[in-house]
Amino acid sequence: MAPSFALERQIAADGFDIIVGFDEVGRGSLAGPVMVGAAAFLARNLGEAQTAMPQYLADSKTLTEHRRESLYEPLQAWVDGFAIGSASNAEIDEWGISHALGIAALRALDGVERALGMGSPGDREMHGFDARRKYSGTWAYTKHDPLQHAGGLRVGAILDGPNDYISKALGTFEAPAVPMPAQVRTLVKADAQCASVAAAAVLAKVTRDRLMEQLAREHAEYARYGWDRNKGYGSKAHREAIAQCGPSDLHRVSWHLA
């Protein structure tokens, strides 16, 4: 079955103006950043979005790489706004994976809200990954002009999985100053059931896969680990390369790598 907007409609009926689906990618990788995708829909647009849902949208884990790639551009044109938040391998080593996920998700929420016009006018430009922090930061985009009268809007969120790591990270020293905190609902297998989460999952997965492939393609010191094939995950070849060459500056050195 294709994902639907059933839960998103329930959240809209509860009085929320913006619904944001979240999903993560890279949690179990040995190298590179963890990323959290955020796909936002205005409550008033859910009916139109349901009708225009891109064909073949589904749980990203059930899609082939080719299918995910083919959905990447249509999804960007379909959602009202999206952002990909990232936490670097160094941040994962310092904070642990759960807090790193929370910060990445808040970076995504901050980015998508500001792109939609919920921040100050000077904050509405797109954000890019900070190379100095090794791929930590946010990409954000909206197809609309910034919302008018954005103040006071309520934001509801759906997070894939059983644990609300977003609310736990809110207000911590590392967290961005999100214009409007979201009320988060968690749902196991939300990426298979909720269209907003499914979109976030595909956008995050393709973004991270492309980054890992680019790193392997452009840097010999990363190519030897086979990231163009394993995307940083713990394949046999990847672990053997770590054992032979040692970890790179993008490996999560607090993890058991080889």
Side-chain angles (χ1 to χ4, degrees):
M1 291 183 60
S4 74
F5 281 114
L7 183 53
E8 288 88 343
R9 289 180 185 276
Q10 290 180 29
I11 293 172
D14 288 339
F16 290 89
D17 306 285
I18 300 172
I19 298 92
V20 187
F22 289 89
D23 202 7
E24 67 194 49
V25 62
R27 174 195 281 263
S29 178
L30 304 182
V34 67
M35 293 186 181
V36 178
F41 292 88
L42 306 183
R44 64 174 184 254
N45 291 345
L46 288 177
E48 177 184 348
Q50 178 73 59
T51 302
M53 185 183 302
Q55 190 177 17
Y56 305 118
L57 178 62
D59 176 356
S60 66
K61 295 185 292 296
T62 69
L63 299 173
T64 64
E65 182 176 0
H66 174 77
R67 183 69 75 194
R68 288 192 299 267
E69 284 283 348
S70 70
L71 281 165
Y72 190 66
E73 298 296 335
L75 286 176
Q76 293 181 54
W78 176 58
V79 302
D80 288 318
F82 81 91
I84 310 297
S86 175
S88 69
N89 60 299
E91 290 171 329
I92 295 168
D93 286 334
E94 180 180 356
W95 302 333
I97 188 63
S98 182
H99 188 58
L101 282 166
I103 297 302
L106 288 173
R107 287 169 175 165
L109 179 62
D110 180 63
V112 78
E113 286 187 357
R114 294 182 189 280
L116 287 169
M118 297 180 70
S120 63
D123 290 334
R124 290 173 185 163
E125 69 272 9
M126 291 179 64
H127 302 271
F129 286 113
D130 186 346
R132 295 168 298 176
R133 300 181 67 185
K134 292 294 183 183
Y135 311 103
S136 169
T138 309
W139 281 333
Y141 168 80
T142 176
K143 66 182 179 183
H144 297 290
D145 291 331
L147 294 171
Q148 300 298 314
H149 311 296
L153 295 181
R154 300 181 67 201
V155 180
I158 306 169
L159 174 61
D160 183 52
N163 300 314
D164 179 9
Y165 50 72
I166 298 177
S167 299
K168 290 178 181 177
L170 188 68
T172 62
F173 179 79
E174 301 85 10
V178 177
M180 177 58 66
Q183 182 170 316
V184 179
R185 304 190 190 190
T186 60
L187 179 64
V188 175
K189 298 188 183 302
D191 52 353
Q193 302 175 58
C194 303
S196 63
V197 180
V202 172
L203 290 168
K205 174 65 173 171
V206 174
T207 298
R208 188 180 185 280
D209 283 357
R210 287 182 177 182
L211 173 63
M212 299 306 289
E213 291 168 359
Q214 178 183 359
L215 289 169
R217 184 171 61 249
E218 297 180 356
H219 304 277
E221 66 268 34
Y222 303 141
R224 60 191 177 185
Y225 301 106
W227 292 350
D228 56 328
R229 299 180 300 278
N230 59 54
K231 312 302 189 288
Y233 287 91
S235 68
K236 180 180 179 182
H238 187 182
R239 291 186 183 275
E240 289 177 347
I242 295 171
Q244 179 179 357
C245 304
S248 73
D249 62 340
L250 293 184
H251 277 97
R252 302 172 188 180
V253 294
S254 62
W255 292 36
H256 178 67
L257 297 177

